[in-house]
Protein backbone atom coordinates (compact mmCIF):
# COMPACT_ATOMS: atom_id res chain seq x y z
CA UNK A 1 0.00 0.00 0.00
CA UNK A 2 1.41 3.34 -1.07
CA UNK A 3 1.65 6.23 1.39
CA UNK A 4 -0.27 8.34 -1.07
CA UNK A 5 -3.77 9.75 -1.46
CA UNK A 6 -6.22 8.88 -4.21
CA UNK A 7 -8.74 11.64 -5.02
CA UNK A 8 -11.85 10.83 -7.06
CA UNK A 9 -13.92 13.48 -8.83
CA UNK A 10 -17.69 13.08 -9.18
CA UNK A 11 -19.86 13.31 -12.27
CA UNK A 12 -22.80 10.87 -11.89
CA UNK A 13 -22.55 8.21 -14.61
CA UNK A 14 -19.34 9.75 -15.93
CA UNK A 15 -18.02 7.83 -12.94
CA UNK A 16 -17.90 4.84 -15.29
CA UNK A 17 -14.51 6.21 -16.34
CA UNK A 18 -13.35 6.24 -12.72
CA UNK A 19 -14.68 2.71 -12.23
CA UNK A 20 -12.54 1.49 -15.12
CA UNK A 21 -9.40 3.19 -13.81
CA UNK A 22 -9.95 1.80 -10.31
CA UNK A 23 -10.54 -1.72 -11.57
CA UNK A 24 -7.18 -1.51 -13.32
CA UNK A 25 -5.63 -0.48 -10.00
CA UNK A 26 -7.33 -3.42 -8.30
CA UNK A 27 -6.08 -5.81 -10.97
CA UNK A 28 -2.54 -4.51 -10.39
CA UNK A 29 -2.88 -4.67 -6.58
CA UNK A 30 -2.34 -0.94 -6.16
CA UNK A 31 -3.69 0.47 -2.88
CA UNK A 32 -3.50 3.90 -1.26
CA UNK A 33 -3.30 4.98 2.35
CA UNK A 34 -6.14 7.47 1.79
CA UNK A 35 -9.04 7.55 -0.68
CA UNK A 36 -11.07 10.75 -0.97
CA UNK A 37 -14.27 10.67 -3.00
CA UNK A 38 -16.92 13.14 -4.13
CA UNK A 39 -20.40 12.02 -5.24
CA UNK A 40 -19.95 9.26 -7.86
CA UNK A 41 -16.26 9.27 -6.95
CA UNK A 42 -17.17 8.38 -3.37
CA UNK A 43 -19.40 5.54 -4.57
CA UNK A 44 -16.57 4.21 -6.74
CA UNK A 45 -14.15 4.68 -3.85
CA UNK A 46 -16.26 2.56 -1.48
CA UNK A 47 -16.19 -0.33 -3.96
CA UNK A 48 -12.45 0.16 -4.44
CA UNK A 49 -11.80 -0.05 -0.71
CA UNK A 50 -13.93 -3.20 -0.43
CA UNK A 51 -11.92 -4.52 -3.42
CA UNK A 52 -15.02 -5.43 -5.43
CA UNK A 53 -13.70 -5.54 -8.96
CA UNK A 54 -16.37 -4.69 -11.53
CA UNK A 55 -19.16 -3.90 -9.06
CA UNK A 56 -19.64 -0.27 -10.09
CA UNK A 57 -19.77 -1.16 -13.77
CA UNK A 58 -22.09 -4.09 -13.19
CA UNK A 59 -24.59 -1.96 -11.29
CA UNK A 60 -24.54 0.99 -13.69
CA UNK A 61 -24.83 -1.10 -16.85
CA UNK A 62 -26.99 -4.05 -15.81
CA UNK A 63 -29.40 -2.04 -13.69
CA UNK A 64 -29.50 1.31 -15.49
CA UNK A 65 -33.08 0.62 -16.62
CA UNK A 66 -34.28 -0.52 -13.21
CA UNK A 67 -36.89 2.01 -12.14
CA UNK A 68 -35.96 1.45 -8.53
CA UNK A 69 -32.46 2.76 -9.34
CA UNK A 70 -32.77 5.68 -11.78
CA UNK A 71 -36.11 7.20 -12.73
CA UNK A 72 -37.74 10.66 -12.63
CA UNK A 73 -40.49 9.08 -10.51
CA UNK A 74 -37.94 8.41 -7.79
CA UNK A 75 -38.14 12.09 -6.88
CA UNK A 76 -41.48 11.27 -5.28
CA UNK A 77 -40.60 7.79 -3.99
CA UNK A 78 -36.97 8.10 -2.86
CA UNK A 79 -36.22 11.84 -2.62
CA UNK A 80 -34.13 11.89 -5.81
CA UNK A 81 -33.97 10.71 -9.41
CA UNK A 82 -31.18 8.31 -8.39
CA UNK A 83 -32.25 6.01 -5.56
CA UNK A 84 -28.92 5.58 -3.82
CA UNK A 85 -30.39 3.16 -1.28
CA UNK A 86 -30.71 0.73 -4.19
CA UNK A 87 -26.92 0.35 -4.28
CA UNK A 88 -26.72 -1.18 -0.81
CA UNK A 89 -29.79 -3.42 -0.72
CA UNK A 90 -29.90 -7.11 -1.64
CA UNK A 91 -31.53 -7.70 -5.03
CA UNK A 92 -31.11 -11.46 -5.28
CA UNK A 93 -29.48 -13.58 -7.98
CA UNK A 94 -27.00 -11.78 -10.23
CA UNK A 95 -26.54 -8.92 -7.81
CA UNK A 96 -23.21 -8.28 -6.08
CA UNK A 97 -23.86 -7.12 -2.52
CA UNK A 98 -21.59 -4.44 -1.13
CA UNK A 99 -18.98 -6.19 1.03
CA UNK A 100 -19.20 -4.15 4.20
CA UNK A 101 -16.90 -6.53 6.10
CA UNK A 102 -14.13 -6.12 3.51
CA UNK A 103 -14.63 -2.35 3.56
CA UNK A 104 -14.31 -2.19 7.34
CA UNK A 105 -11.27 -4.49 7.38
CA UNK A 106 -9.39 -2.52 4.73
CA UNK A 107 -6.28 -0.65 5.93
CA UNK A 108 -7.13 2.14 3.49
CA UNK A 109 -8.60 5.30 5.02
CA UNK A 110 -11.63 6.83 3.34
CA UNK A 111 -13.08 10.33 3.28
CA UNK A 112 -16.49 11.14 1.81
CA UNK A 113 -17.00 14.77 0.78
CA UNK A 114 -20.39 16.48 1.00
CA UNK A 115 -21.65 20.07 1.15
CA UNK A 116 -23.54 21.37 4.16
CA UNK A 117 -26.62 23.23 2.98
CA UNK A 118 -26.64 25.17 6.24
CA UNK A 119 -23.14 26.64 5.84
CA UNK A 120 -22.42 26.13 2.14
CA UNK A 121 -19.06 24.63 3.16
CA UNK A 122 -17.56 21.24 2.42
CA UNK A 123 -17.75 18.63 5.17
CA UNK A 124 -15.66 15.46 5.34
CA UNK A 125 -16.74 12.11 6.78
CA UNK A 126 -13.73 10.00 7.69
CA UNK A 127 -14.06 6.20 7.28
CA UNK A 128 -17.77 6.09 8.17
CA UNK A 129 -19.15 2.68 9.07
CA UNK A 130 -22.53 0.98 8.95
CA UNK A 131 -25.54 3.18 8.33
CA UNK A 132 -23.36 6.29 8.59
CA UNK A 133 -21.46 5.15 5.49
CA UNK A 134 -24.66 4.80 3.47
CA UNK A 135 -26.01 8.13 4.77
CA UNK A 136 -22.79 9.96 3.95
CA UNK A 137 -22.49 8.45 0.47
CA UNK A 138 -26.10 9.38 -0.20
CA UNK A 139 -25.46 12.95 0.93
CA UNK A 140 -22.30 13.24 -1.17
CA UNK A 141 -24.18 12.14 -4.30
CA UNK A 142 -27.43 14.08 -3.76
CA UNK A 143 -27.36 16.46 -6.73
CA UNK A 144 -29.05 19.86 -6.36
CA UNK A 145 -32.40 20.26 -8.17
CA UNK A 146 -32.89 16.50 -8.65
CA UNK A 147 -32.51 15.26 -5.06
CA UNK A 148 -33.45 16.28 -1.55
CA UNK A 149 -30.83 17.16 1.09
CA UNK A 150 -29.73 14.03 2.94
CA UNK A 151 -29.50 13.89 6.75
CA UNK A 152 -26.07 13.19 8.25
CA UNK A 153 -24.42 13.49 11.65
CA UNK A 154 -23.15 16.88 10.45
CA UNK A 155 -26.58 18.13 9.42
CA UNK A 156 -28.37 18.07 6.05
CA UNK A 157 -25.94 17.80 3.15
CA UNK A 158 -25.87 17.58 -0.63
CA UNK A 159 -23.42 16.96 -3.48
CA UNK A 160 -19.85 17.35 -2.30
CA UNK A 161 -18.92 18.64 -5.73
CA UNK A 162 -20.77 21.87 -5.02
CA UNK A 163 -18.21 23.10 -2.48
CA UNK A 164 -15.15 20.91 -3.11
CA UNK A 165 -15.37 19.26 -6.55
CA UNK A 166 -11.75 18.00 -6.70
CA UNK A 167 -10.67 17.72 -3.04
CA UNK A 168 -6.91 17.27 -3.43
CA UNK A 169 -6.33 20.08 -0.91
CA UNK A 170 -8.00 17.90 1.75
CA UNK A 171 -5.40 15.21 1.06
CA UNK A 172 -2.59 17.77 1.19
CA UNK A 173 -3.90 19.07 4.51
CA UNK A 174 -3.78 15.50 5.81
CA UNK A 175 -0.04 15.57 5.12
CA UNK A 176 0.13 13.64 1.85
CA UNK A 177 2.76 14.84 -0.61
CA UNK A 178 1.86 12.21 -3.21
CA UNK A 179 -1.65 12.70 -4.57
CA UNK A 180 -3.23 10.80 -7.45
CA UNK A 181 -6.35 12.43 -8.92
CA UNK A 182 -8.82 10.63 -11.19
CA UNK A 183 -10.88 13.15 -13.19
CA UNK A 184 -14.10 12.60 -15.11
CA UNK A 185 -13.43 15.56 -17.38
CA UNK A 186 -10.59 16.17 -19.81
CA UNK A 187 -7.82 18.51 -18.68
CA UNK A 188 -9.00 21.37 -20.89
CA UNK A 189 -12.49 21.42 -19.39
CA UNK A 190 -13.57 24.47 -17.41
CA UNK A 191 -16.99 24.99 -15.83
CA UNK A 192 -19.34 27.68 -17.13
CA UNK A 193 -20.96 30.24 -14.85
CA UNK A 194 -24.39 29.47 -13.49
CA UNK A 195 -27.19 30.81 -15.70
CA UNK A 196 -29.70 33.40 -14.52
CA UNK A 197 -32.43 30.76 -14.72
CA UNK A 198 -30.40 28.38 -12.54
CA UNK A 199 -29.66 31.16 -10.05
CA UNK A 200 -33.34 32.04 -9.87
CA UNK A 201 -34.26 28.39 -9.33
CA UNK A 202 -31.60 28.14 -6.60
CA UNK A 203 -33.00 31.18 -4.82
CA UNK A 204 -36.49 29.69 -4.88
CA UNK A 205 -35.63 26.12 -3.98
CA UNK A 206 -33.00 26.83 -1.29
CA UNK A 207 -34.28 30.17 0.00
CA UNK A 208 -33.69 29.06 3.61
CA UNK A 209 -29.99 28.45 2.92
CA UNK A 210 -28.34 31.62 1.56
CA UNK A 211 -24.80 30.34 2.14
CA UNK A 212 -25.55 27.24 0.08
CA UNK A 213 -27.00 29.40 -2.70
CA UNK A 214 -23.83 31.51 -2.71
CA UNK A 215 -21.67 28.40 -3.01
CA UNK A 216 -23.77 27.23 -5.95
CA UNK A 217 -23.42 30.63 -7.63
CA UNK A 218 -19.64 30.55 -7.08
CA UNK A 219 -19.25 26.91 -8.13
CA UNK A 220 -17.54 27.62 -11.46
CA UNK A 221 -15.02 29.92 -9.74
CA UNK A 222 -14.27 27.28 -7.11
CA UNK A 223 -14.00 24.47 -9.65
CA UNK A 224 -11.91 26.34 -12.22
CA UNK A 225 -9.52 27.63 -9.55
CA UNK A 226 -8.99 24.04 -8.36
CA UNK A 227 -8.34 22.86 -11.90
CA UNK A 228 -5.79 25.61 -12.57
CA UNK A 229 -4.05 24.80 -9.30
CA UNK A 230 -4.11 21.08 -10.08
CA UNK A 231 -2.56 21.72 -13.52
CA UNK A 232 0.28 23.58 -11.81
CA UNK A 233 0.83 20.79 -9.28
CA UNK A 234 0.88 18.20 -12.06
CA UNK A 235 3.38 20.19 -14.12
CA UNK A 236 5.63 20.46 -11.07
CA UNK A 237 5.41 16.73 -10.37
CA UNK A 238 3.53 17.25 -7.10
CA UNK A 239 0.35 15.50 -8.29
CA UNK A 240 -0.42 12.72 -10.72
CA UNK A 241 -3.61 13.16 -12.76
CA UNK A 242 -5.52 10.48 -14.66
CA UNK A 243 -7.99 12.08 -17.07
CA UNK A 244 -9.62 11.25 -20.41
CA UNK A 245 -7.80 12.65 -23.44
CA UNK A 246 -11.02 13.86 -25.04
CA UNK A 247 -14.22 15.33 -23.56
CA UNK A 248 -16.61 12.76 -22.12
CA UNK A 249 -19.87 13.29 -23.98
CA UNK A 250 -22.27 11.00 -22.13
CA UNK A 251 -25.03 12.55 -20.05
CA UNK A 252 -24.85 12.49 -16.27
CA UNK A 253 -27.84 10.10 -16.34
CA UNK A 254 -26.91 8.37 -19.61
CA UNK A 255 -29.31 5.61 -20.70
CA UNK A 256 -27.23 4.09 -23.52
CA UNK A 257 -25.62 0.98 -22.03
CA UNK A 258 -23.14 0.69 -24.90
CA UNK A 259 -21.83 4.17 -24.13
CA UNK A 260 -21.60 3.35 -20.43
CA UNK A 261 -19.70 0.14 -21.15
CA UNK A 262 -17.37 1.91 -23.59
CA UNK A 263 -16.57 4.59 -21.01
CA UNK A 264 -15.72 1.93 -18.42
CA UNK A 265 -13.35 0.22 -20.84
CA UNK A 266 -11.82 3.59 -21.70
CA UNK A 267 -11.00 4.00 -18.02
CA UNK A 268 -9.55 0.49 -17.89
CA UNK A 269 -7.36 1.23 -20.93
CA UNK A 270 -6.22 4.60 -19.61
CA UNK A 271 -5.35 3.00 -16.29
CA UNK A 272 -3.06 0.57 -18.08
CA UNK A 273 -1.61 3.29 -20.29
CA UNK A 274 -0.44 5.41 -17.36
CA UNK A 275 0.53 2.48 -15.14
CA UNK A 276 4.32 2.66 -15.56
CA UNK A 277 4.40 6.42 -15.03
CA UNK A 278 2.10 6.10 -12.03
CA UNK A 279 4.28 3.49 -10.36
CA UNK A 280 7.36 5.64 -11.02
CA UNK A 281 5.60 8.59 -9.35
CA UNK A 282 4.48 6.52 -6.37
CA UNK A 283 7.91 4.97 -5.87
CA UNK A 284 9.83 8.20 -6.31
Amino acid sequence: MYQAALVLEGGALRGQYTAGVLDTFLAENIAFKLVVGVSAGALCGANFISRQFGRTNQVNVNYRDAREYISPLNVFRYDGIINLDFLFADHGDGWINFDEDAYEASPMDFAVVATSIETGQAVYFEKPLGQDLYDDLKASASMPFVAQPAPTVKGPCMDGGTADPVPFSYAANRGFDKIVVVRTRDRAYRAKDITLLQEKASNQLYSQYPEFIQTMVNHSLIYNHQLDWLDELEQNGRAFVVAPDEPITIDRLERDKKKLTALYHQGRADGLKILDNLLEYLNR
Side-chain angles (χ1 to χ4, degrees):
M1 184 173 64
Y2 291 97
Q3 296 299 312
L6 174 65
V7 176
L8 307 174
E9 184 180 14
L13 289 178
R14 289 196 306 273
Q16 280 288 96
Y17 179 82
T18 302
V21 173
L22 296 188
D23 278 353
T24 295
F25 290 173
L26 285 176
E28 299 294 331
N29 291 315
I30 298 173
F32 299 82
K33 177 59 179 174
L34 172 67
V35 178
V36 188
V38 175
S39 191
L43 296 171
C44 290
N47 290 327
F48 178 70
I49 289 177
S50 63
R51 300 192 63 81
Q52 292 184 268
F53 182 97
R55 184 174 189 269
T56 300
N57 179 59
Q58 190 237 33
V59 171
N60 287 336
V61 174
N62 294 352
Y63 296 87
R64 173 58 186 86
D65 294 333
R67 293 182 179 180
E68 298 86 358
Y69 182 28
I70 303 176
S71 169
L73 296 178
N74 288 344
V75 171
F76 307 103
R77 294 184 292 185
Y78 303 112
D79 295 329
I81 288 179
I82 302 177
N83 172 24
L84 296 166
D85 292 327
F86 180 87
L87 301 176
F88 301 103
D90 190 337
H91 302 290
D93 293 342
W95 175 262
I96 303 174
N97 285 322
F98 177 68
D99 192 340
E100 190 171 350
D101 290 339
Y103 166 85
E104 292 187 14
S106 173
M108 288 187 276
D109 293 334
F110 189 38
V112 179
V113 186
T115 302
S116 166
I117 65 168
E118 296 175 334
T119 68
Q121 300 297 310
V123 293
Y124 306 92
F125 304 96
E126 298 179 355
K127 198 64 180 285
L129 303 174
Q131 188 60 46
D132 284 343
L133 171 64
Y134 306 142
D135 291 344
D136 298 343
L137 289 172
K138 185 174 181 179
S140 180
S142 293
M143 297 181 291
F145 303 120
V146 299
Q148 295 295 320
T152 74
V153 295
K154 297 186 179 183
C157 293
M158 298 199 76
D159 189 353
T162 306
D164 198 357
V166 192
F168 57 89
S169 61
Y170 171 84
N173 291 336
R174 286 275 301 266
F176 289 90
D177 56 7
K178 292 181 180 178
I179 301 173
V180 177
V181 180
V182 180
R183 304 264 340 267
T184 56
R185 296 284 195 180
D186 60 287
R187 285 179 173 80
Y189 175 83
R190 292 298 183 271
K192 296 180 180 179
D193 291 342
I194 191 173
T195 66
L196 291 177
L197 181 61
Q198 289 171 326
E199 185 172 354
K200 183 177 180 180
S202 300
N203 286 323
Q204 291 178 340
L205 191 58
Y206 304 108
S207 59
Q208 300 179 56
Y209 306 105
E211 290 85 359
F212 183 66
I213 294 172
Q214 193 59 46
T215 300
M216 293 181 68
V217 171
N218 292 334
H219 171 74
S220 62
L221 295 175
I222 297 169
Y223 190 25
N224 294 342
H225 173 70
Q226 286 186 334
L227 297 182
D228 291 342
W229 186 13
L230 184 60
D231 283 348
E232 182 179 341
L233 292 176
E234 183 182 23
Q235 290 168 7
N236 293 332
R238 296 171 59 193
F240 189 98
V241 178
V242 186
D245 293 329
E246 302 293 335
I248 291 178
T249 57
I250 73 166
D251 296 332
R252 289 193 302 173
L253 301 178
E254 181 63 57
R255 298 185 63 90
D256 190 324
K257 294 183 178 182
K258 290 183 179 180
K259 291 182 178 180
L260 293 173
T261 300
L263 184 56
Y264 168 77
H265 286 294
Q266 180 183 343
R268 290 277 281 133
D270 284 359
L272 286 172
K273 184 170 65 176
I274 57 86
L275 188 60
D276 289 344
N277 289 337
L278 172 65
L279 293 177
E280 180 183 356
Y281 170 79
L282 293 173
N283 288 309
R284 188 177 306 162

